[in-house]
Structure formats: C-alpha cells, structure tokens
Amino acid sequence: MDLSLTNEQANNLIKLLEKTITSVTRTLVDGDHGQIKIGEISETTSHQFILYYFYALDNIHLNFTDFETKLTLVRINLDSKFHKNANREYVRGNRVEIYDVAEFQLKDDGHTYYRAYKLPYDGIADTEDFIVALQELFKYTNLINHDSISLRIDTSLKFMD
C-alpha cells in the first residue's frame, strides 16, 4: 500500500470543511453502523468525505475518511481496546487516531497509517457519549455548519416478557 497524501495534505483536508451538503436524520440503537457523505462545495473547492460510524453501548467508532483516497484522516474510538503505535506505546481506552505518514513508515506493516493519542487530545474531549464525540469530531474537522446531520440515540426502554 502506498499513501497518496502527505501529512500536510491530510491536515489541510481535515481543516477544509465548513458546511455539509448532506441531510441525515437517524435514531441509533445498540449495534447501528452506517456512513454519511460529507462535502464542501464553494467557489474554490469541491471535496467529499465519508463519516463512518458504529454505535454500541460500550464500543463507539467515528471514522472521518477522505472520499477520493479512502484514507482515514481522523478516527475516534470510545472503547476499552488499545492501539499499538510504531514506538511500541500502547494507547488504551478512549483515543483518537490521526493520519501520519511517519507512523506508516515506522510501523511498516503495509496498512497502519495513523498514530493513536489518548483522549483528551488537541481539543477533542474524552467522553463516553456518542453525540458528544460526534460534536468533537465536527469541531476538530472544522465542520461548523452541520445542522443537516441529526443523529440521536434511542433511549426507549425495552422490556422482555
């Protein structure tokens, strides 16, 4: 696998967004997953991203991916698992993984191209809440105008007979 983005290009893409062109309203239940196409269209740029999400009561993943290259730029994991960085540092529990060419080269496994950091990190809060983590991802990726994306958590109680 060859990386088609430099760190600078990836950082520029992460900070590119200002508004979304997608309208989504969903209520999530335990085990839900999906994707949302996000994009920026202006006089100077037209670029799209995909936000992949997985919601479970104890396992949440938000994966912000470049549509063109299919590379993950930012991933938030809220779970009890770990990621092992190239320097052999284990980052356990809630973490963010950021695109990093040096990590790809050092890890030399042909597919890991992001470095993990324990939350909180660079303005991204540590939380167990899917909606808060989603807001943090929007803030980090500069997605200021995201009113057309409405994800809610089903809080209804389910009783067994």
Side-chain angles (χ1 to χ4, degrees):
M1 172 184 186
D2 289 326
L3 295 180
S4 54
L5 294 173
T6 65
N7 282 351
E8 183 178 0
Q9 290 168 323
N11 287 331
N12 287 338
L13 287 174
I14 290 169
K15 300 301 180 185
L16 175 70
L17 286 177
E18 290 181 5
K19 62 182 177 179
T20 179
I21 59 171
T22 304
S23 181
V24 176
T25 301
R26 295 188 187 142
T27 300
L28 305 179
V29 297
D30 190 31
D32 267 349
H33 60 90
Q35 62 186 37
I36 300 169
K37 189 179 286 188
I38 299 173
E40 166 70 348
I41 297 178
S42 69
E43 293 178 10
T44 58
T45 187
S46 176
H47 201 87
Q48 293 187 331
F49 304 90
I50 299 287
L51 173 62
Y52 296 95
Y53 63 87
F54 178 77
Y55 168 76
L57 296 177
D58 59 352
N59 191 9
I60 293 170
H61 302 276
L62 297 167
N63 192 2
F64 186 75
T65 304
D66 177 51
F67 182 79
E68 185 177 320
T69 64
K70 308 298 187 236
L71 295 171
T72 296
L73 303 174
V74 180
R75 177 180 169 109
I76 295 177
N77 296 305
L78 306 180
D79 58 34
S80 60
K81 298 174 186 162
F82 68 89
H83 176 87
K84 183 178 173 185
N85 286 327
N87 66 359
R88 299 187 179 163
E89 169 195 23
Y90 284 86
V91 180
R92 298 185 186 280
N94 296 350
R95 62 202 178 279
V96 61
E97 297 165 351
I98 307 289
Y99 181 94
D100 189 327
V101 173
E103 189 74 8
F104 178 74
Q105 294 165 341
L106 289 170
K107 193 95 176 205
D108 197 25
D109 63 4
H111 64 272
T112 306
Y113 55 89
Y114 39 82
R115 180 172 176 78
Y117 301 91
K118 185 84 174 145
L119 289 176
Y121 172 79
D122 198 20
I124 301 174
D126 187 10
T127 183
E128 299 292 330
D129 187 297
F130 177 91
I131 301 301
V132 171
L134 183 64
Q135 294 295 325
E136 292 293 303
L137 182 64
F138 288 161
K139 184 172 60 175
Y140 190 78
T141 59
N142 200 37
L143 187 55
I144 298 163
N145 183 6
H146 52 78
D147 295 339
S148 63
I149 297 176
S150 177
L151 299 177
R152 294 180 180 85
I153 305 302
D154 181 5
T155 58
S156 64
L157 296 175
K158 308 236 185 320
F159 295 98
M160 297 183 68
D161 294 327

